[in-house]
Amino acid sequence: MSEKKFDAEALARKPFGEQARNLADATKKAIRDGTSLLDLIMPNGKPMRDCTGHEMGEFGQMLLRESERKKKEEAATKK
């Protein structure tokens, strides 16, 4: 499996929500493909297996905020 080289600077320039969406999409793809989640490259450019608990907590918060934003957006479109 060939992996695209991670560009941490390019990711840092992306809007926060886009980073969360990219991480969520990568997680879904890894699960579908049977890839170990520990091999996922996180927004800080490190594989998940090399991230600290604090870093993982930050990523979790990022995903939660994006999820809340998406729920509000979907609720607004249903009205």
Side-chain angles (χ1 to χ4, degrees), residues 9-68:
E9 290 180 11
L11 182 61
R13 290 189 299 269
K14 289 184 179 181
F16 195 71
E18 187 176 344
Q19 292 180 37
R21 286 188 294 278
N22 290 346
L23 180 56
D25 291 344
T27 302
K28 290 175 194 172
K29 183 179 183 322
I31 291 169
R32 254 192 333 267
D33 296 347
T35 304
S36 172
L37 293 179
L38 293 175
D39 292 331
L40 279 176
I41 303 298
M42 303 309 287
N44 62 357
K46 299 187 322 192
M48 184 186 289
R49 72 176 70 252
D50 296 335
C51 293
T52 65
H54 178 77
E55 290 169 329
M56 293 304 298
E58 289 177 348
F59 304 141
Q61 290 300 314
M62 179 175 65
L63 291 169
L64 284 173
R65 285 192 297 271
E66 179 62 16
S67 173
E68 290 168 0

